[in-house]
């Protein structure tokens, strides 16, 4: 879809986005808070955009970072409260600066001018309305590189449908294969149910990840899964779902990089790194379910 077509679609859909945001139902928590009137919901962010940093990121998966880097905008706050969050100063302590939608648009254009392969919105779910408005301005001013929606995977179907045709690359987490650990560790109800609905919708919109001749992503779905110690993420169930309900061709990034951060240090099972056998167990499940596209990380 051309930027002009995206502008037209987004302008038409903007009232629906604003309605979801007004009495907030931007994510499955459905706090019903009036963020524009100073009330705060679970994500503790108002209606204006808040970001922590913007720059070229070379540490994402290879098709996202490419040779020149991913134009990454770290948005402040989160609709999840993972006690192990490795970005906790930004997501949980909400370090960042409140800006206007025009400044957010300018950040995107600046990243494009720096040569970014894409604009990568990190933790966009709870700031969807502000991002939406900023994108209309950015497209009008010449933004034309792919958009990456890099979320924790707890996204509302209603809002995702409003992104249809706009987002080029979905890069959600699939954090848990069961709701019980999600509730205990990330303080969120029915993570697995909503995550699975979201992943199916993302797949419907963009399909399997497609790369250009240089190996850079143009469009599609890339799912991230962080293996947790003690098999708390129920990795096998996550991978089974992706293979059986999304596609065996799905690109999966199976991560071993967990380290105890933030409140994980007070949790018996979470206060250590993932063991070699735990990661290998997840890797074996990946192979067993026929998920051959994607990346694994080194393990000691
Ligand atoms: S985006 Fe924030 S305020 Fe809105 S429903 Fe989700 S957690 Fe609540």
């Amino acid at each position: 879809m051309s930027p002009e077509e995206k502008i037209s679609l987004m302008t038409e859909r903007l009232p629906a986005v604003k309605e979801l945001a007004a009495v907030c139902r931007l994510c499955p928590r459905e706090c019903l808070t009036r963020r524009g009137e100073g009330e705060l919901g679970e994500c503790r962010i108002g209606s204006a955009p808040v970001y922590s940093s913007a720059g070229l990121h070379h540490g994402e998966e290879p098709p996202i970072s490419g040779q020149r880097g991913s134009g990454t905008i770290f948005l402040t706050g989160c609709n999840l409260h993972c006690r192990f969050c490795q970005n906790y100063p930004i997501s949980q302590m909400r370090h960042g600066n409140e800006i206007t939608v025009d400044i957010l648009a300018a950040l995107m254009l600046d990243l494009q001018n720096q040569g970014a392969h894409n604009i990568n919105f990190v933790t966009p779910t709870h700031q969807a309305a502000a991002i939406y408005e900023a994108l209309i301005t950015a497209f009008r001013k010449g933004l034309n590189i792919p958009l990456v929606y890099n979320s924790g995977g707890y996204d509302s179907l209603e809002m995702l449908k409003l992104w249809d045709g706009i987002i080029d690359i979905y890069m959600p987490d699939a954090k848990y294969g069961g709701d019980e650990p999600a509730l205990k560790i990330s303080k969120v109800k029915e993570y697995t149910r909503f995550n699975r609905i979201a992943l199916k919708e993302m797949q419907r919109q963009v399909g399997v990840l497609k790369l250009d001749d240089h190996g850079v992503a143009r469009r599609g779905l890339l799912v991230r899964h962080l293996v947790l110690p003690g098999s708390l993420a129920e990795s096998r169930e996550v991978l089974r779902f992706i293979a059986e309900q999304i596609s065996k061709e799905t690109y999966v990034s199976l991560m071993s990089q967990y380290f105890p951060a933030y409140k994980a240090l007070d949790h018996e099972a979470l206060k250590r790194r993932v063991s070699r056998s735990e990661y290998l167990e997840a890797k074996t499940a990946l192979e067993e379910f026929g998920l051959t596209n994607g990346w694994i990380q080194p393990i000691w």
Side-chain angles (χ1 to χ4, degrees):
M1 198 176 285
S2 68
E4 292 71 30
E5 288 170 315
K6 286 189 176 182
I7 292 168
S8 159
L9 202 55
M10 295 182 84
T11 307
E12 196 180 298
R13 291 175 182 171
L14 188 58
V17 175
K18 286 188 169 175
E19 195 186 326
L20 277 184
V23 184
C24 195
R25 291 186 292 122
L26 283 175
C27 89
R29 287 195 188 268
E30 299 199 345
C31 297
L32 305 180
T33 46
R34 295 175 188 274
R35 292 165 60 182
E37 296 170 24
E39 291 178 16
L40 296 177
E42 274 290 323
C43 59
R44 316 298 296 165
I45 294 291
S47 56
V50 189
Y51 88 113
S52 162
S53 68
L56 293 178
H57 191 4
H58 295 276
E60 300 284 39
E61 283 73 359
I64 303 298
S65 284
Q67 302 79 31
R68 301 193 304 270
S70 174
T72 305
I73 301 178
F74 282 92
L75 296 147
T76 298
C78 187
N79 64 338
L80 299 174
H81 301 304
C82 305
R83 58 187 306 146
F84 58 81
C85 183
Q86 303 180 359
N87 279 338
Y88 69 94
I90 302 170
S91 67
Q92 306 302 315
M93 296 166 81
R94 299 184 300 285
H95 291 178
N97 299 302
E98 187 172 307
I99 52 176
T100 63
V101 290
D102 286 345
I103 292 174
L104 183 55
L107 289 175
M108 298 176 203
L109 292 163
D110 186 44
L111 289 166
Q112 177 172 277
N113 289 339
Q114 289 180 49
H117 287 292
N118 46 57
I119 300 298
N120 179 353
F121 299 109
V122 182
T123 325
T125 307
H126 61 297
Q127 297 205 36
I131 296 169
Y132 215 89
E133 263 194 276
L135 271 170
I136 296 175
T137 302
F139 284 137
R140 285 192 177 124
K141 293 187 173 178
L143 186 73
N144 59 11
I145 53 178
L147 303 179
V148 183
Y149 185 95
N150 178 350
S151 81
Y154 193 62
D155 290 286
S156 105
L157 179 61
E158 212 173 342
M159 185 59 222
L160 283 177
K161 285 185 171 168
L162 296 167
W163 283 121
D164 190 6
I166 312 302
I167 296 295
D168 303 283
I169 298 159
Y170 282 104
M171 190 161 66
D173 292 329
K175 288 181 184 289
Y176 299 102
D179 284 337
E180 203 183 314
L183 183 59
K184 284 187 183 151
I185 299 170
S186 296
K187 290 195 193 156
V188 65
K189 287 182 187 162
E190 296 188 280
Y191 176 89
T192 305
R193 183 166 82 82
F194 285 110
N195 180 244
R196 290 179 174 187
I197 292 169
L199 262 56
K200 282 185 174 177
E201 173 63 12
M202 293 171 181
Q203 170 75 3
R204 185 194 71 75
Q205 289 183 22
V206 296
V208 172
L209 195 69
K210 297 278 185 300
L211 314 181
D212 68 13
D213 295 343
H214 303 286
V216 176
R218 300 301 302 173
R219 182 178 169 82
L221 174 69
L222 188 171
V223 182
R224 283 174 162 169
H225 177 69
L226 178 69
V227 180
L228 294 180
S231 304
L232 285 172
E234 301 190 16
S235 304
R236 190 177 174 81
E237 292 315 307
V238 170
L239 299 169
R240 184 202 304 278
F241 168 76
I242 295 171
E244 293 179 357
Q245 306 278 325
I246 303 294
S247 164
K248 284 192 195 317
E249 292 178 77
T250 307
Y251 279 72
V252 178
S253 182
L254 187 69
M255 299 183 289
S256 63
Q257 67 193 44
Y258 175 84
F259 64 90
Y262 190 45
K263 294 181 180 171
L265 294 162
D266 309 326
H267 188 283
E268 198 49 40
L270 288 171
K271 68 183 179 191
R272 63 166 172 87
R273 298 201 69 161
V274 171
S275 71
R276 182 178 170 79
S277 65
E278 285 163 345
Y279 187 70
L280 290 180
E281 195 179 303
K283 182 172 166 279
T284 301
L286 190 79
E287 290 159 359
E288 194 184 308
F289 294 130
L291 293 162
T292 53
N293 286 331
W295 304 268
I296 54 169
Q297 288 184 325
I299 188 85
W300 35 93

